[in-house]
Amino acid sequence: MIQITRTTQPKEKPDQHALGFGKYYTDHMLIIDYTAGQGWHDARIVPFGPLPLHPAAVVLHYGMEIFEGLKAYRRPDGRVQLFRPIENVRRMNNSARRLSLPTMDESLGLEALTTFVELEQGWVPSLPGTSLYLRPFLYASEPNLALHAIQEATYVLIASPVASYFSGGLTPVSIMIEDEDVRAVRGGTGEAKCGGNYAAATRAGDRAEAKGYSQVLWLDGVERKYIEEVGAMNVMFKIAGEVVTPKLTGSILPGITRKSAIELLKSQGVQVSERLISAQELLEAAANGALEEAWGIGTAAIISPIGSLSYQGQDYAIHGGKIGPVAQKLYDDLSGIQWGLKEDTMGWTVPIPAQA
Ligand code: PLP
Ligand code: COI
């Protein structure tokens, strides 16, 4: 049972044309406390506001924090729906296991998402490409400078009405292959969605931006040879007629959009291969024309076409710097299902009850 305390001061909703990403927050937040003795308890929705945090909270010192990201979409009939929320609940539990944070019953994780969106549904925008971005996160709130098994943690869910992640929408981006920093290593935390991964990835992203690129293409941390992800997204290529994407080796985040794209493409009879792809193979394919398309794929942007790749100062254009047909169709199909513009033949969407 989730206790609801409604705000007495509802905020004015922002202009839907100026949402950006992560600038505005809804009226409420959902909090669940964990203690080793009681497990998860006191699930409650309260007015949005600052969180109390002890200066010795483990998260501030040892970085024990994980998060998720998913969206609520407004359909043409005005109803609101989620896209595969159970996948986010499961991935959050996997991340929790990796960081020694407490896991949560899937039913509670799902109830938190659906109950919160039901209450905040007035905040789901309706302009094309907009949605309500949901950000559940979980951290070790326990005050303790000693490192040992966690006794206290906090789960919080906040939501932000957003436009597409990149202001350019489907405009192809230029990407630099990163050969200095690595995002993650096998055996590390790469397949967990933890804040530390993003902290470690920021320097390379900033350097790429300073050189005029949008983001970096990450290589594996062991051999620095195989392609892993692009920025904070999974990556896909069309090489010699086949869609290929790096296989999940342990250092790559198992994206839900990636998984959905693979399932959708396969259901349409498109050949998809999950395998190791070396930077050398990719650059050779770019040079001889076999690299037909490339795109990043994730919840925030859905599809972000890659218009050019740069490695050690040399630039390679992809599909003439324009979005290719496979990336475009994937965007149309996935976004069509997410916003309820196309029939959901895969059974992925979860409708939220309209407010009484
Ligand atoms: N890879 C990283 C590092 C991410 O942060 C994300 C975004 O959540 C993804 C991939 C894509 O995952 P999803 O499709 O579940 O959003
Ligand atoms: C994604 O949803 O694709 C992301 O990478 C989320 C980002 C804001 C961390």
Side-chain angles (χ1 to χ4, degrees), residues 12-30:
E12 206 172 306
K13 307 260 190 326
D15 175 3
Q16 286 201 29
H17 294 276
L19 290 177
F21 195 94
K23 279 201 290 184
Y24 303 100
Y25 295 90
T26 65
D27 284 324
H28 301 92
M29 58 187 182
L30 187 151

PDB file of all heavy atoms in Angstrom, residues 12-30:
ATOM      1  N   GLU A  12       2.723  25.310 -11.689  1.00  0.00           N
ATOM      2  CA  GLU A  12       2.235  25.589 -13.040  1.00  0.00           C
ATOM      3  C   GLU A  12       3.010  24.706 -14.009  1.00  0.00           C
ATOM      4  O   GLU A  12       4.223  24.552 -13.863  1.00  0.00           O
ATOM      5  CB  GLU A  12       2.499  27.059 -13.360  1.00  0.00           C
ATOM      6  CG  GLU A  12       1.547  27.609 -14.392  1.00  0.00           C
ATOM      7  CD  GLU A  12       1.726  29.107 -14.531  1.00  0.00           C
ATOM      8  OE1 GLU A  12       1.642  29.805 -13.498  1.00  0.00           O
ATOM      9  OE2 GLU A  12       1.972  29.538 -15.668  1.00  0.00           O
ATOM     10  N   LYS A  13       2.324  24.137 -14.993  1.00  0.00           N
ATOM     11  CA  LYS A  13       3.012  23.251 -15.941  1.00  0.00           C
ATOM     12  C   LYS A  13       3.837  24.086 -16.918  1.00  0.00           C
ATOM     13  O   LYS A  13       3.409  25.157 -17.349  1.00  0.00           O
ATOM     14  CB  LYS A  13       1.985  22.417 -16.729  1.00  0.00           C
ATOM     15  CG  LYS A  13       0.994  21.668 -15.841  1.00  0.00           C
ATOM     16  CD  LYS A  13       1.375  20.244 -15.676  1.00  0.00           C
ATOM     17  CE  LYS A  13       0.335  19.373 -15.005  1.00  0.00           C
ATOM     18  NZ  LYS A  13      -0.526  19.910 -13.974  1.00  0.00           N
ATOM     19  N   PRO A  14       5.022  23.608 -17.295  1.00  0.00           N
ATOM     20  CA  PRO A  14       5.868  24.383 -18.215  1.00  0.00           C
ATOM     21  C   PRO A  14       5.309  24.378 -19.647  1.00  0.00           C
ATOM     22  O   PRO A  14       4.505  23.506 -19.991  1.00  0.00           O
ATOM     23  CB  PRO A  14       7.203  23.644 -18.163  1.00  0.00           C
ATOM     24  CG  PRO A  14       6.869  22.259 -17.714  1.00  0.00           C
ATOM     25  CD  PRO A  14       5.647  22.360 -16.850  1.00  0.00           C
ATOM     26  N   ASP A  15       5.766  25.319 -20.442  1.00  0.00           N
ATOM     27  CA  ASP A  15       5.413  25.387 -21.865  1.00  0.00           C
ATOM     28  C   ASP A  15       5.959  24.125 -22.553  1.00  0.00           C
ATOM     29  O   ASP A  15       7.154  23.848 -22.490  1.00  0.00           O
ATOM     30  CB  ASP A  15       6.069  26.660 -22.442  1.00  0.00           C
ATOM     31  CG  ASP A  15       5.879  26.778 -23.945  1.00  0.00           C
ATOM     32  OD1 ASP A  15       5.209  25.915 -24.541  1.00  0.00           O
ATOM     33  OD2 ASP A  15       6.425  27.749 -24.511  1.00  0.00           O
ATOM     34  N   GLN A  16       5.080  23.402 -23.217  1.00  0.00           N
ATOM     35  CA  GLN A  16       5.494  22.133 -23.843  1.00  0.00           C
ATOM     36  C   GLN A  16       6.522  22.314 -24.947  1.00  0.00           C
ATOM     37  O   GLN A  16       7.192  21.367 -25.348  1.00  0.00           O
ATOM     38  CB  GLN A  16       4.268  21.425 -24.419  1.00  0.00           C
ATOM     39  CG  GLN A  16       3.396  20.809 -23.358  1.00  0.00           C
ATOM     40  CD  GLN A  16       2.514  19.710 -23.944  1.00  0.00           C
ATOM     41  OE1 GLN A  16       2.853  19.045 -24.912  1.00  0.00           O
ATOM     42  NE2 GLN A  16       1.354  19.530 -23.349  1.00  0.00           N
ATOM     43  N   HIS A  17       6.626  23.529 -25.467  1.00  0.00           N
ATOM     44  CA  HIS A  17       7.604  23.769 -26.536  1.00  0.00           C
ATOM     45  C   HIS A  17       9.006  24.002 -25.978  1.00  0.00           C
ATOM     46  O   HIS A  17       9.957  24.097 -26.728  1.00  0.00           O
ATOM     47  CB  HIS A  17       7.189  24.984 -27.375  1.00  0.00           C
ATOM     48  CG  HIS A  17       5.916  24.748 -28.129  1.00  0.00           C
ATOM     49  ND1 HIS A  17       5.878  24.111 -29.343  1.00  0.00           N
ATOM     50  CD2 HIS A  17       4.629  25.038 -27.818  1.00  0.00           C
ATOM     51  CE1 HIS A  17       4.634  24.025 -29.754  1.00  0.00           C
ATOM     52  NE2 HIS A  17       3.840  24.578 -28.855  1.00  0.00           N
ATOM     53  N   ALA A  18       9.121  24.149 -24.675  1.00  0.00           N
ATOM     54  CA  ALA A  18      10.419  24.510 -24.086  1.00  0.00           C
ATOM     55  C   ALA A  18      10.797  23.543 -22.965  1.00  0.00           C
ATOM     56  O   ALA A  18      11.377  23.945 -21.961  1.00  0.00           O
ATOM     57  CB  ALA A  18      10.358  25.945 -23.565  1.00  0.00           C
ATOM     58  N   LEU A  19      10.491  22.260 -23.167  1.00  0.00           N
ATOM     59  CA  LEU A  19      10.714  21.310 -22.070  1.00  0.00           C
ATOM     60  C   LEU A  19      12.182  20.974 -21.858  1.00  0.00           C
ATOM     61  O   LEU A  19      12.633  20.822 -20.731  1.00  0.00           O
ATOM     62  CB  LEU A  19       9.922  20.020 -22.322  1.00  0.00           C
ATOM     63  CG  LEU A  19       8.406  20.147 -22.185  1.00  0.00           C
ATOM     64  CD1 LEU A  19       7.728  18.821 -22.538  1.00  0.00           C
ATOM     65  CD2 LEU A  19       8.028  20.571 -20.769  1.00  0.00           C
ATOM     66  N   GLY A  20      12.935  20.814 -22.970  1.00  0.00           N
ATOM     67  CA  GLY A  20      14.316  20.350 -22.823  1.00  0.00           C
ATOM     68  C   GLY A  20      14.318  18.962 -22.198  1.00  0.00           C
ATOM     69  O   GLY A  20      13.361  18.191 -22.360  1.00  0.00           O
ATOM     70  N   PHE A  21      15.388  18.633 -21.464  1.00  0.00           N
ATOM     71  CA  PHE A  21      15.464  17.313 -20.826  1.00  0.00           C
ATOM     72  C   PHE A  21      15.909  17.485 -19.382  1.00  0.00           C
ATOM     73  O   PHE A  21      17.023  17.913 -19.116  1.00  0.00           O
ATOM     74  CB  PHE A  21      16.443  16.403 -21.574  1.00  0.00           C
ATOM     75  CG  PHE A  21      16.295  14.959 -21.201  1.00  0.00           C
ATOM     76  CD1 PHE A  21      15.496  14.101 -21.946  1.00  0.00           C
ATOM     77  CD2 PHE A  21      16.927  14.450 -20.080  1.00  0.00           C
ATOM     78  CE1 PHE A  21      15.331  12.769 -21.596  1.00  0.00           C
ATOM     79  CE2 PHE A  21      16.776  13.124 -19.710  1.00  0.00           C
ATOM     80  CZ  PHE A  21      15.977  12.282 -20.478  1.00  0.00           C
ATOM     81  N   GLY A  22      15.014  17.172 -18.442  1.00  0.00           N
ATOM     82  CA  GLY A  22      15.398  17.213 -17.030  1.00  0.00           C
ATOM     83  C   GLY A  22      15.446  18.601 -16.427  1.00  0.00           C
ATOM     84  O   GLY A  22      16.185  18.846 -15.476  1.00  0.00           O
ATOM     85  N   LYS A  23      14.653  19.519 -16.980  1.00  0.00           N
ATOM     86  CA  LYS A  23      14.631  20.899 -16.435  1.00  0.00           C
ATOM     87  C   LYS A  23      13.507  21.098 -15.425  1.00  0.00           C
ATOM     88  O   LYS A  23      13.583  21.932 -14.542  1.00  0.00           O
ATOM     89  CB  LYS A  23      14.399  21.905 -17.579  1.00  0.00           C
ATOM     90  CG  LYS A  23      15.652  22.242 -18.366  1.00  0.00           C
ATOM     91  CD  LYS A  23      15.509  23.573 -19.099  1.00  0.00           C
ATOM     92  CE  LYS A  23      14.519  23.501 -20.246  1.00  0.00           C
ATOM     93  NZ  LYS A  23      14.418  24.715 -21.046  1.00  0.00           N
ATOM     94  N   TYR A  24      12.399  20.345 -15.607  1.00  0.00           N
ATOM     95  CA  TYR A  24      11.207  20.538 -14.771  1.00  0.00           C
ATOM     96  C   TYR A  24      10.848  19.241 -14.062  1.00  0.00           C
ATOM     97  O   TYR A  24      11.094  18.156 -14.585  1.00  0.00           O
ATOM     98  CB  TYR A  24      10.020  20.968 -15.647  1.00  0.00           C
ATOM     99  CG  TYR A  24      10.292  22.226 -16.435  1.00  0.00           C
ATOM    100  CD1 TYR A  24      10.642  22.147 -17.777  1.00  0.00           C
ATOM    101  CD2 TYR A  24      10.214  23.475 -15.823  1.00  0.00           C
ATOM    102  CE1 TYR A  24      10.917  23.307 -18.504  1.00  0.00           C
ATOM    103  CE2 TYR A  24      10.483  24.629 -16.546  1.00  0.00           C
ATOM    104  CZ  TYR A  24      10.837  24.533 -17.878  1.00  0.00           C
ATOM    105  OH  TYR A  24      11.113  25.665 -18.591  1.00  0.00           O
ATOM    106  N   TYR A  25      10.254  19.362 -12.890  1.00  0.00           N
ATOM    107  CA  TYR A  25       9.857  18.177 -12.119  1.00  0.00           C
ATOM    108  C   TYR A  25       8.397  18.290 -11.713  1.00  0.00           C
ATOM    109  O   TYR A  25       7.869  19.398 -11.585  1.00  0.00           O
ATOM    110  CB  TYR A  25      10.807  17.989 -10.921  1.00  0.00           C
ATOM    111  CG  TYR A  25      12.178  17.683 -11.466  1.00  0.00           C
ATOM    112  CD1 TYR A  25      13.079  18.709 -11.738  1.00  0.00           C
ATOM    113  CD2 TYR A  25      12.500  16.388 -11.845  1.00  0.00           C
ATOM    114  CE1 TYR A  25      14.294  18.443 -12.357  1.00  0.00           C
ATOM    115  CE2 TYR A  25      13.712  16.113 -12.460  1.00  0.00           C
ATOM    116  CZ  TYR A  25      14.606  17.146 -12.712  1.00  0.00           C
ATOM    117  OH  TYR A  25      15.782  16.876 -13.348  1.00  0.00           O
ATOM    118  N   THR A  26       7.771  17.149 -11.515  1.00  0.00           N
ATOM    119  CA  THR A  26       6.331  17.145 -11.234  1.00  0.00           C
ATOM    120  C   THR A  26       6.083  17.541  -9.775  1.00  0.00           C
ATOM    121  O   THR A  26       7.010  17.881  -9.045  1.00  0.00           O
ATOM    122  CB  THR A  26       5.737  15.750 -11.520  1.00  0.00           C
ATOM    123  OG1 THR A  26       6.317  14.820 -10.603  1.00  0.00           O
ATOM    124  CG2 THR A  26       6.009  15.308 -12.955  1.00  0.00           C
ATOM    125  N   ASP A  27       4.842  17.455  -9.350  1.00  0.00           N
ATOM    126  CA  ASP A  27       4.463  17.941  -8.014  1.00  0.00           C
ATOM    127  C   ASP A  27       4.876  17.014  -6.868  1.00  0.00           C
ATOM    128  O   ASP A  27       4.933  17.443  -5.723  1.00  0.00           O
ATOM    129  CB  ASP A  27       2.940  18.111  -7.948  1.00  0.00           C
ATOM    130  CG  ASP A  27       2.478  19.355  -8.692  1.00  0.00           C
ATOM    131  OD1 ASP A  27       3.207  20.368  -8.657  1.00  0.00           O
ATOM    132  OD2 ASP A  27       1.408  19.300  -9.332  1.00  0.00           O
ATOM    133  N   HIS A  28       5.105  15.736  -7.193  1.00  0.00           N
ATOM    134  CA  HIS A  28       5.325  14.769  -6.115  1.00  0.00           C
ATOM    135  C   HIS A  28       6.579  13.932  -6.341  1.00  0.00           C
ATOM    136  O   HIS A  28       7.178  13.971  -7.420  1.00  0.00           O
ATOM    137  CB  HIS A  28       4.112  13.822  -6.006  1.00  0.00           C
ATOM    138  CG  HIS A  28       2.835  14.530  -5.731  1.00  0.00           C
ATOM    139  ND1 HIS A  28       1.996  14.959  -6.737  1.00  0.00           N
ATOM    140  CD2 HIS A  28       2.254  14.913  -4.563  1.00  0.00           C
ATOM    141  CE1 HIS A  28       0.938  15.570  -6.200  1.00  0.00           C
ATOM    142  NE2 HIS A  28       1.074  15.565  -4.886  1.00  0.00           N
ATOM    143  N   MET A  29       6.945  13.179  -5.333  1.00  0.00           N
ATOM    144  CA  MET A  29       7.975  12.145  -5.471  1.00  0.00           C
ATOM    145  C   MET A  29       7.557  10.957  -4.614  1.00  0.00           C
ATOM    146  O   MET A  29       6.738  11.100  -3.700  1.00  0.00           O
ATOM    147  CB  MET A  29       9.344  12.690  -5.043  1.00  0.00           C
ATOM    148  CG  MET A  29       9.408  13.209  -3.616  1.00  0.00           C
ATOM    149  SD  MET A  29      11.020  13.993  -3.351  1.00  0.00           S
ATOM    150  CE  MET A  29      10.852  14.457  -1.623  1.00  0.00           C
ATOM    151  N   LEU A  30       8.096   9.804  -4.969  1.00  0.00           N
ATOM    152  CA  LEU A  30       7.736   8.591  -4.227  1.00  0.00           C
ATOM    153  C   LEU A  30       8.982   8.107  -3.491  1.00  0.00           C
ATOM    154  O   LEU A  30      10.066   8.060  -4.067  1.00  0.00           O
ATOM    155  CB  LEU A  30       7.212   7.540  -5.206  1.00  0.00           C
ATOM    156  CG  LEU A  30       6.631   6.262  -4.622  1.00  0.00           C
ATOM    157  CD1 LEU A  30       5.567   5.694  -5.571  1.00  0.00           C
ATOM    158  CD2 LEU A  30       7.683   5.194  -4.368  1.00  0.00           C
TER     159      LEU A  30
END
